[in-house]
Amino acid sequence: MNRPKAAVAALDDSVTVTPYDKGDGFPVFIEPNQDGLRTSVAKAREWLASVPFEQMLAEASVLVLRGFATKTTDDFIEITRDLPSLSSGYAGGNAPRDVVKGNVMESTHADASLRLYLHQEMAYLPQFPAKLAFFCNLPSKTGGETIVADIRQLQARIPSSLFEKVKSLGLRYVRNFRPADRSTGYKTLDDFHPTWQGSFKTDNRDEIEAICDSRGLQHAWNSDDSITMISDLPGVRIHPVTGETIWFNQMHTMSMRPPNISPEMYEQVKEVYDNGEMTRPYSVRYGDDSSIADEDLDAVYEAYDALTVAFPWQQGDVMFVDNYTAAHGRNPYSGDRDVQVQIFG
């Protein structure tokens, strides 16, 4: 176990730091020892502002605040108020989610039966969050964990030749957004193929084109009233705090095959897209437009599957995720679930 590192370990006795044993010390849980931190969100916010938060998160990758005075969405907004929001927001993101309040969104309203594969948020776009914060307002009856994985460990597991190839060539992401009046015929598949009206929160084509232009996205409207966007991006990036070269991409989640999607959904994909008239919601190739071999994708899947960590949510938990050094996803669940998210620059 190599956590916690210096910044977290240096915290005073106002809190207790507990690396998660089942995840080999990942993530790190922080619990208050003072009543003020348990009962006053203002004091909890002051505490967060007083610690070397950026360094702590960069070192630990995932920090979970448990037992602090975060009981409501308003508390979640308050404790994170000093963190800079992502200026470009979530417009054009893949996940089906609605705004809860202010910058707080649903983590997703994708069907509860789906396992959402581990990923780094919005790595398919030129503008993406540096960090995320999740808030558990209501844990599900069973399952529903927001799973996480350590990207540093993933880099150590994937073949070095694959890392260098992705670093050298980069990746080309092609995403398609369907019109709101056209369904795939499957509820679960609709969640994976968002509408442009829902993703961009507008039905004005000029506004969508302006957003694409401002973000450097190639785009074209299709005869079926869908829009296709292309982004050529690096497959690795430099961490803004540590200076590390970090694997940063979604090549594995854009493949539309198991294990990214279930075998049942894969059959739906072949029916709707391969044998139908709709354009696939996304695909990915290397930056030189060459195809990505299955063996390359399988190496990434195997690494993620070996590193997946799931801990049970408790009401009031706030989990901070370094988007560079940690991936996140979601397990299937039963019962009601309310996990909210904010994205930060």
Side-chain angles (χ1 to χ4, degrees):
M1 183 185 299
N2 59 2
R3 292 181 175 83
K5 295 185 179 179
V8 178
L11 292 174
D12 63 28
D13 60 6
S14 64
V15 296
T16 296
V17 174
T18 308
Y20 190 52
D21 284 343
K22 293 180 181 179
D24 192 26
F26 169 90
V28 173
F29 287 79
I30 301 177
E31 299 178 83
N33 293 326
Q34 297 178 346
D35 287 342
L37 298 180
R38 299 187 187 102
T39 59
S40 169
V41 71
K43 290 187 181 300
R45 177 188 169 195
E46 289 173 5
W47 175 86
L48 192 64
S50 72
V51 300
F53 174 75
E54 297 285 343
Q55 191 66 36
M56 287 166 49
L57 186 59
E59 290 178 356
S61 299
V62 178
L63 297 170
V64 182
L65 304 189
R66 173 164 286 177
F68 283 77
T70 48
K71 304 303 181 186
T72 67
T73 300
D74 286 338
D75 294 337
F76 181 40
I77 292 171
E78 179 63 21
I79 199 171
T80 58
R81 190 176 300 279
D82 297 322
L83 298 179
S85 297
L86 183 67
S87 60
S88 55
Y90 191 69
N94 278 355
R97 56 174 50 139
D98 291 324
V99 172
V100 177
K101 183 175 183 179
N103 292 324
V104 178
M105 301 174 288
E106 301 172 303
S107 57
T108 178
H109 56 248
D111 192 274
S113 67
L114 298 177
R115 176 177 183 257
L116 304 184
Y117 210 85
L118 290 157
H119 60 281
Q120 290 154 299
E121 190 71 25
M122 300 169 71
Y124 47 77
L125 286 172
Q127 294 84 28
F128 53 86
K131 61 186 75 70
L132 303 88
F134 292 88
F135 167 62
C136 180
N137 193 40
L138 177 68
S140 53
K141 183 177 180 181
T142 63
E145 301 92 345
T146 298
I147 54 178
V148 289
D150 186 331
I151 297 297
R152 292 184 177 104
Q153 291 191 42
L154 179 134
Q155 286 186 196
R157 283 178 173 267
I158 61 175
S160 58
S161 58
L162 175 57
F163 183 90
E164 292 302 323
K165 186 174 186 179
V166 170
K167 180 180 178 182
S168 173
L169 296 178
L171 296 165
R172 170 167 291 179
Y173 300 99
V174 180
R175 299 186 301 139
N176 179 268
F177 297 82
R178 62 186 172 88
D181 61 359
R182 187 166 193 190
S183 169
T184 65
Y186 296 97
K187 168 63 170 65
T188 53
L189 199 56
D190 278 353
D191 287 339
F192 275 71
H193 196 162
T195 68
W196 49 265
Q197 293 96 331
S199 293
F200 290 87
K201 308 304 180 189
T202 180
D203 58 6
N204 187 310
R205 290 187 176 212
D206 291 340
E207 289 181 11
I208 293 175
E209 291 177 5
I211 292 172
C212 290
D213 289 340
S214 69
R215 299 184 184 181
L217 296 173
Q218 304 172 52
H219 57 279
W221 294 97
N222 305 306
S223 58
D224 64 356
D225 199 29
S226 69
I227 184 171
T228 297
M229 301 177 188
I230 300 174
S231 49
D232 294 311
L233 297 173
V236 303
R237 292 190 182 268
I238 304 300
H239 195 288
V241 175
T242 69
E244 298 167 273
T245 299
I246 297 291
W247 176 271
F248 190 85
N249 62 75
Q250 284 200 35
M251 61 183 285
H252 61 297
T253 62
M254 296 287 176
S255 68
M256 292 210 77
R257 72 167 178 86
N260 180 41
I261 59 177
S262 67
E264 294 78 14
M265 186 176 290
Y266 186 50
E267 293 303 313
Q268 296 171 6
V269 165
K270 290 190 289 185
E271 173 193 337
V272 173
Y273 302 112
D274 296 352
N275 302 319
E277 298 179 354
M278 292 186 73
T279 303
R280 281 191 175 221
Y282 41 77
S283 62
V284 61
R285 299 172 69 85
Y286 286 117
D288 63 355
D289 208 33
S290 61
S291 61
I292 300 174
D294 283 348
E295 63 185 27
D296 290 349
L297 292 170
D298 287 339
V300 179
Y301 289 131
E302 289 169 7
Y304 269 124
D305 288 344
L307 296 170
T308 301
V309 176
F311 68 87
W313 278 118
Q314 292 185 14
Q315 198 282 329
D317 283 351
V318 174
M319 178 171 72
F320 292 99
V321 176
D322 182 325
N323 198 35
Y324 288 87
T325 61
H328 66 280
R330 189 203 69 187
N331 274 339
Y333 66 94
S334 65
D336 293 334
R337 178 184 188 269
D338 183 3
V339 175
Q340 302 168 9
V341 67
Q342 295 184 73
I343 55 178
F344 301 101

